[in-house]
Amino acid sequence: GEYLGTKGKSPVAGKSPPDWERDWFHKDALSSYCSSFHFSNQSLLDGLRMFLAAFRLPGEAQQIDRILQAFAESCGLQCVESQSGNLFSADPKKASDAAYLLS
C-alpha cells in the first residue's frame, strides 16, 4: 500500500503506531473493495476469475492470504454453490471457510 498515502502510517518518523491504529484503514478498504463486486448468479470459480482480473496480486504470501480471505467472506454467501444449498453451509462463517479453501 504505498499508493494509499499516509493513512495507517505513524505521524512520528521511525516509530510504528499500535496495530489497532495502523491496520483499520487497510482492512476497511479491502472489505469495501470486495463488497463492490457482485457475485450473485456466478460460480465460485467465475467469481474468483472476475475478482483476480480486476487487479494484480502482490508477491507476498501473507497479503495474498488476506485478499483471498476477504474474497471468500464476500463471495461465500452470494455464489451459486452457496445459493443452491447443498454445497456450502447456510452459516456465513462456514460458507466463507469453504469458499476460502476452494479458492
Side-chain angles (χ1 to χ4, degrees):
E2 293 83 15
Y3 60 91
L4 295 174
T6 59
K7 291 285 187 187
K9 294 185 180 175
S10 175
V12 179
K15 291 192 175 187
S16 294
D19 287 342
W20 59 269
E21 196 175 284
R22 179 181 60 213
D23 294 340
W24 67 269
F25 173 76
H26 302 289
K27 288 178 184 176
D28 287 348
L30 180 59
S31 65
S32 296
Y33 179 73
C34 290
S35 65
S36 70
F37 288 90
H38 301 286
F39 298 112
S40 56
N41 298 325
Q42 291 187 355
S43 69
L44 179 67
L45 181 60
D46 291 338
L48 183 62
R49 286 179 179 157
M50 178 182 65
F51 181 70
L52 293 176
F55 65 97
R56 188 176 143 260
L57 275 176
E60 186 178 335
Q62 187 177 19
Q63 291 174 343
I64 294 171
D65 183 56
R66 288 181 185 156
I67 291 170
L68 287 180
Q69 284 178 351
F71 162 78
E73 289 172 4
S74 180
C75 182
L77 291 175
Q78 297 180 27
C79 65
V80 173
E81 291 87 355
S82 177
Q83 293 173 353
S84 67
N86 58 353
L87 295 176
F88 288 2
S89 173
D91 179 25
K93 178 66 176 154
K94 289 181 181 179
S96 68
D97 285 347
Y100 175 74
L101 288 174
L102 291 174
S103 63

